[in-house]
């Protein structure tokens, strides 16, 4: 694509398409040439007053944060500008693109890889929570997996979106797949949405399909029991993983996790017990298998940009 200005950024090339907008590699128009990731929100989505207001409110909070577990927010659109945000850049791919490539290549995530991704994600969300932030809109589109096997979250700018605008459109449909399905009148912990998102993603990693089906009368407990037993040629979920999924996905029940720390502790226990032995190398190998040669070509291209 030809370079295109977007606020104070110069969009250089497409990085990914998401339900909320398009992500580009970019450089700032002023200052040192530093590659960034810029999300330019979809116009139909961003023109809703509630969406614009909600994103800008959360941007103020996330722009004050510097966390090694996140792609930190650097700049956002000024008032009156179309909605965009600029974050730190790392070579890798959004998890949504990784999962799509896994499906296309016929390379499903192994159990060790699934546990690793869930544990790292829980750690990143817990790190944000210690800074009085909840993400609130976690989906595979808000997670970056580097070619070295690291996991970074993008800032939670779309938190509360489902409550602040009509629940229609692709962005709402994607987000709803990772949000709690609640019993009427249930009371939830502050980070319930993040706890549920980790569980829904872990389920998707293991079963290779989304947890929430979107069907009327969806029963999360029944869904988990079906996955535990397995269907057809699919293997059932191991008891220890099934237990973590129950506690993270059945929000509003006595057994549900009270906080992210408890969820991460159980994932850590799986790893330290030796039953699962995930490593950064495992994910790096997966990334190199899925994106053969892309990492080296991208490194050369990035050097040319700056």
């Amino acid at each position: 694509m030809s370079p295109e200005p977007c606020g104070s950024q110069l969009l250089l090339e497409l990085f990914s398409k998401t339900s909320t907008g398009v992500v580009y590699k970019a450089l700032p128009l002023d200052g040192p040439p530093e590659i960034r990731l810029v999300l330019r929100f979809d116009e139909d989505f961003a023109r809703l007053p509630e969406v614009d207001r909600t994103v800008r409110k959360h941007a103020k909070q996330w722009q004050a944060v510097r966390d090694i577990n996140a792609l930190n927010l650097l700049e956002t659109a000024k008032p009156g500008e179309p909605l965009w945000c600029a974050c730190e850049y790392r070579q890798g791919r959004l998890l949504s693109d990784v999962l799509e490539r896994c499906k296309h290549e016929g390379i499903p995530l192994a159990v060790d890889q699934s546990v690793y991704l869930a544990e790292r994600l829980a750690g990143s969300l817990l790190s944000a929570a210690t800074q009085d932030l909840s993400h609130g809109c976690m989906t595979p589109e808000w997670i970056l997996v580097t070619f070295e096997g690291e996991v970074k979250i993008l800032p939670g700018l779309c938190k509360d979106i489902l409550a602040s605008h009509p629940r229609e459109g692709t962005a709402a449909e994607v987000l709803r797949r990772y949000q709690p399905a609640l019993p009427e009148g249930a009371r939830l912990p502050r980070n319930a949405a993040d706890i549920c998102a980790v569980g829904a993603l872990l389920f998707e990693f293991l079963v290779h399909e989304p947890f929430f089906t979107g069907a009327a009368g969806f029963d999360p407990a029944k869904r988990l029991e079906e996955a535990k037993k397995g269907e057809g040629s699919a293997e059932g979920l191991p008891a220890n993983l099934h237990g973590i999924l129950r506690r993270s996905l059945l929000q509003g029940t006595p057994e549900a996790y009270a906080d992210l720390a408890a969820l991460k502790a159980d994932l850590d226990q799986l790893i330290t017990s030796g039953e699962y032995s995930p490593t950064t190398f495992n994910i790096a190998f997966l990334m190199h298998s899925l994106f053969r040669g892309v990492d080296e070509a991208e490194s050369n291209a990035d050097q040319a940009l700056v």
Side-chain angles (χ1 to χ4, degrees), residues 62-132:
W62 281 89
Q63 202 162 346
V65 172
R66 289 296 176 266
D67 193 321
I68 62 171
N69 300 291
L71 296 181
N72 294 303
L73 185 62
L74 303 174
E75 290 188 60
T76 56
K78 293 181 172 62
E81 287 183 346
L83 205 55
W84 59 268
C85 68
C87 298
E88 291 177 322
Y89 168 71
R90 290 288 301 275
Q91 290 177 356
R93 288 294 181 269
L94 297 185
L95 181 58
S96 50
D97 294 326
V98 174
L99 295 176
E100 183 60 32
R101 185 62 70 94
C102 283
K103 182 178 179 181
H104 181 265
E105 297 287 334
I107 306 177
L109 291 175
V111 176
D112 280 5
Q113 293 167 336
S114 301
V115 171
Y116 171 91
L117 289 171
E119 190 275 337
R120 290 302 173 97
L121 176 57
S124 297
L125 293 170
L126 179 58
S127 181
T130 61
Q131 301 178 69
D132 202 31

Side-chain angles (χ1 to χ4, degrees), residues 23-46:
V23 183
Y24 298 89
K25 285 185 188 179
L27 291 173
L29 289 171
D30 297 315
E34 171 189 69
I35 300 177
R36 298 174 171 186
L37 286 182
V38 171
L39 168 60
R40 182 161 66 178
F41 286 85
D42 178 76
E43 290 183 7
D44 290 337
F45 179 67

Side-chain angles (χ1 to χ4, degrees), residues 155-184:
L157 303 184
C158 288
K159 177 185 174 184
D160 304 324
I161 287 295
L162 289 181
S164 64
H165 85 289
R167 303 185 180 198
E168 299 177 357
T170 304
E173 291 171 4
V174 171
L175 181 55
R176 201 176 299 117
R177 294 177 199 162
Y178 305 93
Q179 295 292 291
L182 304 177
E184 187 174 351

Side-chain angles (χ1 to χ4, degrees), residues 189-202:
R190 181 174 180 270
N191 292 99
D194 291 343
I195 294 169
C196 180
V198 175
L201 284 163
L202 178 57

